[in-house]
Amino acid sequence: MPVFEYAPAPESRAVVDIAPSYGLFIDGEFAEAGDGKVFKTLSPSSEEVLSEVAQAGVEDVDRAVKAARKAFETWSALPGSERAKYLFRIARIIQERSRELAVLESLDNGKPIRESRDADLPLVAAHFFYYAGWADKLAYAVRGRSPLNGTSGADPRPLGVAGQVIPWNFPLLMLAWKIAPALATGNTVVLKPAETTPLSALFFADICRQAGLPKGVVNIVTGDGSTGAELVAHPGIDKVAFTGSTEVGKAIARTVAGTRKKVTLELGGKAANIVFDDAPLDQAVEGIVGGIFFNQGHVCCAGSRLLVQESVQDELLDALKRRMSTLRVGDPLDKNTDIGAINSAEQLARIRALADAGEAEGAERWAPACELPSSGYWFAPTLFTGVTQAHRIAREEIFGPVLSVLTFRTPEEAVAKANNTPYGLSAGIWTEKGSRILWMANKLRAGVVWSNTFNKFDPASPFGGYKESGYGREGGRHGLEAYLDV
Amino acid sequence: MPTTVPAYGKEAAERLASLADVTAGDGALRRFLHGLPGVDAVGLQARAATLGTRSIKTTAKAYAIDLAISMIDLTTLEGADTPGKVRALCAKGINPDPTDRSAPKVAAICVYGDMVATAKEALTGSGIHVAAVATAFPSGRASLPVKLADTRDAVAAGADEIDMVIDRGAFLSGRYLDVFEEIRQVKEACVREDGSGTAAHLKVIFETGELQTYDNVRRASWLAMLAGADFIKTSTGKVAVNATPPVTLVLLEAVRDFHAAVGVQVGVKPAGGIRTSKDAIKYLVMVNETLGDEWLSPEWFRFGASSLLNDLLMQRQKLSTGRYSGPDYVTVD
């Protein structure tokens, strides 16, 4: 009998119409950059040029901020219920256009359609729905301001213009995390998407027009790091929200220091995924795979350090390797693909360099046999065993499908190793013992601690880091505070 | 009583014997079964759901449909069964699609014990097995001697496979050794008394809908495999909740781990409620990604179903003609 090989099941590209070039979205209109500069955006799975996008300069950023400032006067004066209407409308349009947006996201980012369709887009819509619901309840949302409990004061007020810079790993989802709470609370925004993944933000601009959002409330300026730096430094903005690398986050913190600007930073991570010997092993294996190979490991809260109890190390690693061998790497638009392309040549080079460092420092490298496509940027799911806290691959964020396996013997040792990192964004605990979960969760210095699961997101749940993983929280009621003067 | 002679091979038999300690007493067996890794329900269901999103198209779909047909235990387990009904079912099993002789035949015809001889005769020369439910199916509520007699009767009538139910009462009250003993003795009763030294294949039905928790399902799986089950099977098809993808996934994982531990390959049979090609293909994907090619054959995986076949045939016709035909283009037997 022949083997059961899945025939290709590609999602159609015809549902998305990408223009050959895009301008900046300022004050409700698309416009070329002042100095006419453009850059190309590629599909990382094929290196095909998808479109040309304007590179916003100093004047463009200034125009966008001014447009947002002007729009703020009327937008912030609207009753919350009116702002909610726009947000609900945007959420519904996102749902209606979700297939188109999912395909676009997979094309521009390289992530598998299975994830953009089943994870990204539902969460994008959910964030707009969630914050739409809060828009007319802000007085009840924030601590100590409830008119119902006798401690009422002035209603919380929006900050003004928010300058937002987002990364390339979840282009549309990070946009939703930033824009939905900002608009719900009455702020206006200037958003800069990542250089390698600008398209979904530009499609979102179109959705804003479709929803009839007043001009200038949302402005999208595309460009590279210099555009982001201009935006952050612009004196006309009141709040900076950034998700990205710790290095850039530190630069932003220095820029903003001493100004009136509020700032939230969501930076890197090197999460520990801790597996005890009494864990539900099959589900732990799934959690480990989902923790590090979801979105090619391009996840700041990825469970990139597996801490496994020595007594089950062999059993768990055998199961993990067996499971990794079933991962399907390839065309992001194929509905059966589990792992897509690395987002850019630069990122691929960084992953390679760190993986090589792991080998050079004596860790043992393993990857399942898998054929990688000849064009585009690819990296096979990879496992390093024999890793110690002293290895670079145990300390530095790789931001790719590379898992470092360390071991521990006691819960105290697990906590000590898990916390022994400059980062503190997330952690995972796998055990059937509830008391241990609670004990560990209290000890771990991480913004999110998942138990018997990993990489689960919900708009109602706050997300953010300790230490070099940044400050401030996004999501949930906590996420509203970052955009309110309370 | 002749002991059964499973074709495990020497090494596997030794490794299996090394597990004999765990069945030495009730306490030891309980400690072993409760020492198996737990099953996290949320994670298990999420995994089963993810496997259900595989998109199986064109050649892969055609392959899966034919494979699924060849894995069906075409079943009639009604009080109203007549020899005529059973013969009609056998004819359908041999030649599922009268309009297209390339359709594969099913794996087995599954009937009550008193219909075995009828089915056996109707299937002569077809290579299709006769499976008989025994041991006071579906409730399992009879004394052990009655269950054993039920089994021997079906084997004597020519059954190639015996589908037994476990005593869920004993299992749920923690009398694991009783369940183990019962399976072991039924397995011995599967040995044919014609002196051939061969035995009917034993499928052990857990009725997972009554075991309730996934941890129980996993323990029952190991218990049955330790006792010598050739196949483990989810359910009778006679209760409200029968086979589900997560429950079947637990069985597949247990079979995988048992194989890794002792080298003995055990088959899996989800039964009850699997009616559409789409569902059947999801199960095949689960087998493929949990156990691999080795289990993708009627020898190691079966569907317990009565109405699934017609949907598979309609899908098959759709693939070959490009059009949906409709229920009148497949036979009602």
Side-chain angles (χ1 to χ4, degrees), chain A residues 1-7 9 114 117-118 279-283 286 322-323 326 328 335-336 338 432 452, chain B residues 38-40 43-44 47 50 54-60 63-64 67 218 253 256 285 288-289 293 296:
Chain A
M1 244 180 206
V3 288
F4 190 12
E5 278 189 10
Y6 306 162
R114 193 169 68 78
R117 176 195 67 193
D118 297 346
L281 277 190
D282 286 314
Q283 287 74 49
E286 288 308 314
R322 185 182 61 221
R323 176 68 178 88
T326 68
R328 307 166 67 88
K335 290 173 217 162
N336 291 325
D338 296 318
E432 287 273 277
N452 290 341
Chain B
V39 182
D40 184 79
L44 174 77
R47 174 67 179 147
T50 305
R54 288 289 190 221
S55 187
I56 305 301
K57 302 285 184 212
T58 60
T59 54
Y63 172 74
L67 185 59
R218 188 183 187 98
E253 287 171 349
R256 180 197 65 202
V285 167
N288 188 36
E289 299 203 21
D293 296 340
L296 279 175

Side-chain angles (χ1 to χ4, degrees), chain A residues 81-418:
Chain A
S81 55
E82 284 300 308
R83 291 199 302 272
K85 281 186 194 172
Y86 289 106
L87 288 170
F88 277 123
R89 209 179 287 163
I90 289 171
R92 288 194 301 268
I93 295 171
I94 287 169
Q95 285 185 320
E96 283 159 14
R97 295 178 65 173
S98 64
R99 185 149 166 249
E100 172 194 0
L101 293 167
V103 172
L104 177 73
E105 200 79 325
S106 283
L107 276 173
D108 202 19
N109 171 281
K111 64 174 66 195
I113 186 76
R114 193 169 68 78
E115 289 176 4
S116 53
R117 176 195 67 193
D118 297 346
D120 292 44
L121 262 297
L123 277 169
V124 170
H127 272 84
F128 278 97
F129 277 119
Y130 177 79
Y131 280 114
W134 273 121
D136 60 350
K137 305 172 192 71
L138 297 177
Y140 304 89
V142 190
R143 282 167 291 181
R145 291 289 181 186
S146 169
L148 292 180
N149 64 11
T151 58
S152 62
D155 278 354
R157 282 177 295 243
L159 298 172
V161 177
Q164 307 176 320
V165 180
I166 58 171
W168 45 259
N169 57 344
F170 293 92
L172 200 54
L173 184 59
M174 292 300 105
L175 174 147
W177 282 26
K178 297 277 184 293
I179 290 186
L183 297 195
T185 47
N187 299 274
T188 54
V189 306
V190 179
L191 178 129
K192 188 201 88 75
E195 188 183 1
T196 59
T197 56
L199 294 181
S200 52
L202 295 164
F203 274 58
F204 179 79
D206 183 50
I207 289 171
C208 291
R209 293 212 293 200
Q210 200 183 338
L213 193 72
K215 289 181 174 190
V217 173
V218 168
N219 305 275
I220 310 280
V221 290
T222 47
D224 56 16
S226 67
T227 310
E230 288 298 337
L231 177 59
V232 168
H234 196 287
I237 63 168
D238 305 286
K239 146 91 186 175
V240 174
F242 172 75
T243 297
S245 72
T246 294
E247 191 191 346
V248 176
K250 285 177 179 174
I252 289 174
R254 278 191 288 270
T255 308
V256 175
T259 71
R260 71 177 194 292
K261 295 172 192 170
K262 279 197 166 196
V263 63
T264 46
L265 301 172
E266 303 275 7
L267 309 176
K270 192 75 190 172
N273 208 355
I274 306 159
V275 181
F276 286 94
D277 57 6
D278 67 343
L281 277 190
D282 286 314
Q283 287 74 49
V285 167
E286 288 308 314
I288 294 161
V289 167
I292 184 62
F293 301 122
F294 177 62
N295 204 36
Q296 296 72 248
H298 300 332
V299 185
C300 47
C301 54
S304 52
R305 283 186 299 151
L306 173 63
L307 294 180
V308 56
Q309 195 156 10
E310 268 186 20
S311 49
V312 286
Q313 183 189 8
D314 293 344
E315 198 180 339
L316 184 76
L317 286 178
D318 284 350
L320 183 58
K321 286 177 178 175
R322 185 182 61 221
R323 176 68 178 88
M324 282 171 70
S325 303
T326 68
L327 289 169
R328 307 166 67 88
V329 186
D331 180 9
L333 284 187
D334 191 311
K335 290 173 217 162
N336 291 325
T337 293
D338 296 318
I339 298 189
I342 301 301
N343 184 251
S344 64
E346 294 73 34
Q347 187 57 27
L348 180 59
R350 177 176 163 75
I351 296 169
R352 282 185 176 151
L354 274 163
D356 291 347
E359 253 178 319
E361 292 177 12
E364 193 181 328
R365 180 178 185 157
W366 183 89
C370 65
E371 214 172 295
L372 301 177
S374 50
S375 63
Y377 316 124
W378 303 91
F379 197 88
T382 298
L383 180 75
F384 276 100
T385 50
V387 180
T388 73
Q389 291 290 97
H391 285 93
R392 273 183 76 193
I393 51 169
R395 308 208 68 79
E396 294 180 33
E397 186 180 37
I398 299 175
F399 223 64
V402 181
L403 178 65
S404 302
V405 183
L406 299 94
T407 60
F408 69 90
R409 291 156 299 180
T410 63
E412 285 76 12
E413 189 183 352
V415 169
K417 281 186 170 169

Side-chain angles (χ1 to χ4, degrees), chain A residues 272 274 414-415 418-419 427-429 439-447 449 466:
Chain A
I274 306 159
V415 169
N419 286 340
I429 308 166
W439 180 86
M440 292 282 291
N442 276 329
K443 300 264 182 197
L444 291 171
R445 304 293 292 163
V449 179
Y466 283 77

Side-chain angles (χ1 to χ4, degrees), chain B residues 166-328:
Chain B
I166 65 163
D167 181 344
R168 283 86 79 189
F171 185 91
L172 290 170
S173 55
R175 290 186 284 118
Y176 297 130
L177 201 59
D178 289 353
V179 181
F180 175 83
E181 264 307 305
E182 193 167 289
I183 297 171
R184 205 183 56 74
Q185 293 194 34
V186 172
K187 168 115 182 173
E188 282 182 2
C190 286
V191 177
R192 296 196 182 90
E193 289 176 337
D194 56 6
S196 64
T198 58
H201 266 244
L202 179 63
K203 306 199 197 100
V204 179
I205 307 172
F206 303 138
E207 200 68 292
T208 51
E210 291 184 356
L211 298 188
Q212 296 279 336
T213 71
Y214 296 121
D215 285 327
N216 275 345
V217 173
R218 188 183 187 98
R219 289 170 194 149
S221 301
W222 275 84
L223 182 59
M225 291 188 289
L226 287 170
D230 298 301
F231 254 79
I232 53 177
K233 175 175 167 184
T234 58
S235 25
T236 60
K238 298 286 186 189
V239 294
V241 179
N242 291 289
T244 63
V247 150
T248 308
L249 186 52
V250 174
L251 264 59
L252 296 172
E253 287 171 349
V255 160
R256 180 197 65 202
D257 295 344
F258 189 74
H259 183 250
V262 298
V264 173
Q265 191 170 358
V266 174
V268 177
K269 177 176 171 186
I274 304 164
R275 296 191 177 86
T276 65
S277 306
K278 206 169 182 174
D279 283 344
I281 291 173
K282 286 177 184 177
Y283 281 91
L284 293 182
V285 167
M286 268 199 304
V287 177
N288 188 36
E289 299 203 21
T290 311
L291 293 168
D293 296 340
E294 267 181 276
W295 268 265
L296 279 175
S297 96
E299 201 182 340
W300 301 109
F301 192 78
R302 296 281 178 85
F303 290 107
S306 49
S307 59
L308 171 64
L309 180 56
N310 272 0
D311 193 67
L312 286 164
L313 292 173
M314 282 195 280
Q315 287 293 330
R316 201 173 182 279
Q317 290 172 354
K318 157 77 166 53
L319 281 182
S320 63
T321 64
R323 292 181 301 279
Y324 276 109
S325 45
D328 285 343

